[in-house]
Amino acid sequence: MNIVVLERNSVGPDIPVDCFEDLGNVTYYRNTVTIEEVRERVKEADIIVANKSPMNEASLKDAPNVKLICEFATGYDNCDLAYCKSRGIQVCNVVDYSTSMVAQHTFTLALALCQKLSYYDTYVKSGEYSAQDRFSNFDIPFYELEGKTWGIVGMGNIGRRVAKIATAFGCKVIFHSITGKSTCTDYEQVDKDTLLRESDFLSLHCPLSDLSRNLINREALRKMKKTAILINVARGQVVNNPDLYEALMAGEIAAAGLDVLEKEPLELSNPLSKLKDSNQIIITPHLAWGSVEARTRCVQGVYDNIKAFQEGKVRNLVNP
């Protein structure tokens, strides 16, 4: 089988992917962005491995042999599932490979912001600490997690892991189900307004859909506590970036930690790029999922999906 890996570097050049060569004739591309690039590169493909590359009629119409698309990810919003199903193309993702790392990064952002780590690290390294006449410093107040309310949107594998950790820190956990179909009974489920009103920390772990797009907009931000910290490790479009900028500038929430943005990489036209105070906002370059261990598991998951397909088995199929 001809296997085309469209975004080899999406898992990082440090992670080996030569295991795919056990499964067929493999062609690698460092990155593939446009529909035109996809169309040209997949003409002879039986199996496509992608991440953000558009998988739709425009990009696949000249690729008659494609039977399987494997996502280098859990998300598959780059893929037109209805079109693929109409063509008999199976689409598979990799599940639960990054749960531990995304949960870890959620708390890395939250703790850095609520404990003002950037300020105090700079304070010491600037020499100001050495020049003071007291052993400690707490010029900028910082706070504990214990006793706070941790709100969650998206109670899947990652949301549940975050809830477990937040509970260990002594937080009360509440969550909101966008679809209203969550079966989770371990934590209190609340409506959106209650979530916004009561959360001291609000972390987002939901997939992108018509229901979640712009979920956190100016109206939602105005309902949050002025002391609240927002964490987005879901999809960038779940949070309206200009609205978040305005809310931060107006002091409507205390801080935000973002690993995802509406458009990536960060564009200079995005008003959030103007904010340089790391006590107010921390932005990381979509790396929450990307520990060495997680990326290795992701590659192995794609390998297992392809192998299962070749053996006539169904594994991680998202368009049955």
Side-chain angles (χ1 to χ4, degrees):
M1 285 187 167
N2 291 323
I3 302 171
V4 176
V5 180
L6 289 175
E7 297 163 272
R8 185 262 175 269
N9 277 15
S10 67
V11 291
D14 57 318
I15 303 299
V17 296
D18 54 342
C19 58
F20 298 145
E21 293 165 24
D22 296 338
L23 303 173
N25 178 37
V26 186
T27 303
Y28 301 100
Y29 295 97
R30 178 179 174 275
N31 196 27
T32 302
V33 178
T34 67
I35 287 175
E36 291 73 21
E37 287 176 328
V38 175
R39 185 186 300 137
E40 182 61 32
R41 293 174 178 182
V42 302
K43 284 182 177 179
E44 305 299 324
D46 298 296
I47 296 172
I48 298 171
V49 179
N51 188 317
K52 303 297 182 186
S53 298
M55 297 283 106
N56 52 40
E57 182 175 7
S59 61
L60 299 173
K61 63 182 180 180
D62 296 327
N65 301 324
V66 176
K67 305 173 185 67
L68 175 69
I69 295 171
C70 286
E71 296 280 3
F72 255 152
T74 299
Y76 44 85
D77 46 272
N78 64 312
C79 204
D80 184 337
L81 297 184
Y83 171 73
C84 290
K85 187 171 183 178
S86 74
R87 283 269 310 270
I89 300 171
Q90 295 186 19
V91 180
C92 296
N93 67 346
V94 185
V95 298
D96 208 24
Y97 70 93
S98 63
T99 297
S100 57
M101 186 61 229
V102 177
Q104 179 177 312
H105 196 68
T106 298
F107 285 91
T108 298
L109 292 171
L111 292 168
L113 288 165
C114 76
Q115 293 179 211
K116 311 300 181 186
L117 290 186
S118 175
Y119 172 83
Y120 286 110
D121 178 59
T122 300
Y123 184 83
V124 172
K125 290 175 178 173
S126 70
E128 290 184 74
Y129 179 50
S130 300
Q132 73 175 38
D133 59 359
R134 52 198 167 115
F135 77 94
S136 187
N137 185 288
F138 25 81
D139 288 347
I140 297 183
F142 49 93
Y143 302 92
E144 299 177 357
L145 268 67
E146 184 163 349
K148 303 299 189 297
T149 297
W150 190 290
I152 293 174
V153 178
M155 195 57 87
N157 290 331
I158 295 171
R160 288 171 186 265
R161 182 70 65 89
V162 168
K164 184 177 180 181
I165 297 170
T167 300
F169 270 112
C171 295
K172 172 189 176 183
V173 173
I174 60 176
F175 78 97
H176 172 64
S177 170
I178 296 176
T179 64
K181 297 178 181 178
S182 176
T183 59
C184 178
T185 57
D186 296 328
Y187 307 98
E188 181 185 356
Q189 185 172 173
V190 298
D191 60 39
K192 181 181 176 182
D193 283 352
T194 301
L195 182 87
L196 295 170
R197 184 177 63 251
E198 295 188 1
S199 295
D200 296 296
F201 296 85
L202 176 57
S203 61
L204 309 176
H205 310 286
C206 53
L208 181 64
S209 70
D210 290 339
L211 292 175
S212 65
R213 193 181 305 274
N214 283 317
L215 179 75
I216 305 300
N217 55 18
R218 195 69 192 277
E219 180 184 2
L221 290 159
R222 284 174 171 154
K223 294 177 180 179
M224 295 176 67
K225 297 180 179 180
K226 292 185 181 297
T227 55
I229 293 176
L230 173 69
I231 305 294
N232 187 13
V233 291
R235 286 289 185 265
Q237 297 92 330
V238 176
V239 176
N240 184 295
N241 287 189
D243 286 1
L244 175 60
Y245 170 80
E246 294 296 336
L248 289 169
M249 292 297 292
E252 290 172 354
I253 65 170
L258 310 176
D259 186 57
V260 288
L261 298 158
E262 286 184 335
K263 291 185 179 180
E264 297 168 348
L266 174 64
E267 296 181 330
L268 295 180
S269 59
N270 187 327
L272 294 176
S273 68
K274 301 175 186 177
L275 301 179
K276 307 300 181 183
D277 182 0
S278 294
N279 297 305
Q280 183 182 51
I281 188 168
I282 296 176
I283 302 175
T284 52
H286 203 146
L287 54 71
W289 66 280
S291 65
V292 169
E293 297 90 343
R295 288 181 288 132
T296 300
R297 288 191 293 267
C298 183
V299 170
Q300 183 62 48
V302 171
Y303 175 91
D304 292 341
N305 285 343
I306 295 173
K307 187 172 177 60
F309 173 80
Q310 292 178 337
E311 293 174 350
K313 302 174 182 176
V314 175
R315 188 177 190 274
N316 292 330
L317 186 65
V318 298
N319 66 333

